[in-house]
Amino acid sequence: MEQYKQEFIEFMVDCKALKFGEFTLKSGRKSPFFMNAGAYVTGSQLMKLGESYAKAIHDTYGDDFDVLFGPAYKGIPISVVTAVAYSKLYGKEVRYCSDRKEEKDHGADKGTGILLGSKIKDGDRVMIIEDVTTSGKSMEETVPKVRGAANVEIVGLMVSLNRMEKGLGGKVSALEEIKEKYGFDAHAIVTMQDVIDHLYNRPYKGEVYIDDTLKKAIDEYYAVYGA
């Protein structure tokens, strides 16, 4: 496993962005683990988060894209800090863009649409960036917004954690389903299997986060929802 992936797993644990226990997800699924990008709240944490996304995008997709699109709300700060990190690490200026939940009705940019940050223009190559995708449902809103803004190519999607669960169709993983449905690749900085490999019965800072009991709960969860 690449060094940045090991560091990102430990980073998620340190920031309490990745938790283990019993959680009810937005999809209604009862999960023994939960990922919350809202836990990254300090300057150093956000800097590390942006660098982790930038490294994963660079490693997976290279530099051939123009815009980072982060869906509201959590995708907004992620796209901003990743654009900053991309400039710092690779010397490439990429624009950031996000959507509003509602169209702005005041100020100098009143009536200019639902996008904020850089405008998307014809010919742009867009990288979508999100915190986590459980079922892939969020793409039903995001993809039409991006493709409706201009004649663009969506290069791919990068999320922080691949939960490795079935998508809405119930057959293949959410990330695989996104590729089948929308025609672009979807990847993650780390997969849940990476997390298990790195933390199972291995103490980190004096604590074992995934012991035999939790591993059994994860296995049972994947027996139902795993792809």
Side-chain angles (χ1 to χ4, degrees), residues 166-182:
K166 297 173 184 175
L168 295 175
K171 295 180 180 179
V172 298
S173 76
L175 296 188
E176 291 173 335
E177 195 168 88
I178 286 169
K179 182 175 182 178
E180 290 181 359
K181 186 171 184 178
Y182 300 110

Side-chain angles (χ1 to χ4, degrees), residues 179-197:
K179 182 175 182 178
E180 290 181 359
K181 186 171 184 178
Y182 300 110
F184 56 82
D185 287 338
H187 294 276
I189 301 174
V190 294
T191 68
M192 197 57 205
Q193 187 60 57
D194 292 330
V195 173
I196 294 168
D197 291 345

